[in-house]
Amino acid sequence: QVQPVESGGGSVQAGGSLRLSCTGSPYNYRRCMAWFRQAPGKGREGVAVMYTAANTVLYADSVKGRFTMSQDNSGNTVYLQMSSLKFEDTAMYYCATGRLPAGSVVCPLDETTFPSWGQGTQVTVSS
């Protein structure tokens, strides 16, 4: 499987914005793409997931209204626009790809759906 590649991480002050990008996943009509994050000493947390053929997105409650996941017209790149960043958003952010489960119409924000992962990009928010 092709491993996705993330970019766009960095350091920002609280209240600021960053945009992450993820490329490298070939389009497939059943493709799900997601962003997860892992803070030091914590487990991995789902942030947002997109069923790319339908352009539908689900968000974790912790980021609703602040983060927006989107894709470019070619479907080759997905983005995570992060606004109103908080100290607690500090984490390594991972892009992951997978397939829509049989019988589903939405992609679940569940690690088990995603067999292919990027190396991650660090986001650090200073308070």
Side-chain angles (χ1 to χ4, degrees):
Q1 289 186 339
V2 176
Q3 186 177 27
V5 178
E6 308 95 337
S7 62
S11 297
V12 64
Q13 288 191 327
S17 300
L18 281 174
R19 188 176 79 160
L20 307 183
S21 301
C22 175
T23 60
S25 172
Y27 179 79
N28 179 287
Y29 80 99
R30 297 186 66 83
R31 184 180 64 179
C32 298
M33 295 193 71
W35 290 96
F36 290 80
R37 66 186 181 185
Q38 187 166 19
K42 296 188 177 180
R44 197 150 50 186
E45 173 192 21
V47 176
V49 60
M50 175 185 283
Y51 175 30
T52 55
N55 204 36
T56 53
V57 183
L58 297 178
Y59 296 95
D61 287 344
S62 58
V63 305
K64 277 181 185 176
R66 301 188 300 120
F67 290 12
T68 302
M69 185 173 182
S70 62
Q71 60 182 325
D72 69 359
N73 290 336
S74 70
N76 291 329
T77 302
V78 295
Y79 304 98
L80 185 69
Q81 177 67 46
M82 304 184 294
S83 302
S84 301
L85 282 162
K86 304 176 181 180
F87 175 75
E88 51 264 40
D89 294 318
T90 296
M92 185 71 78
Y93 283 71
Y94 298 91
C95 179
T97 63
R99 289 200 172 192
L100 188 71
S104 295
V105 296
V106 294
C107 295
L109 192 52
D110 179 348
E111 287 186 50
T112 62
T113 299
F114 299 93
S116 185
W117 293 75
Q119 294 295 312
T121 185
Q122 178 68 38
V123 171
T124 302
V125 184
S126 57
S127 56

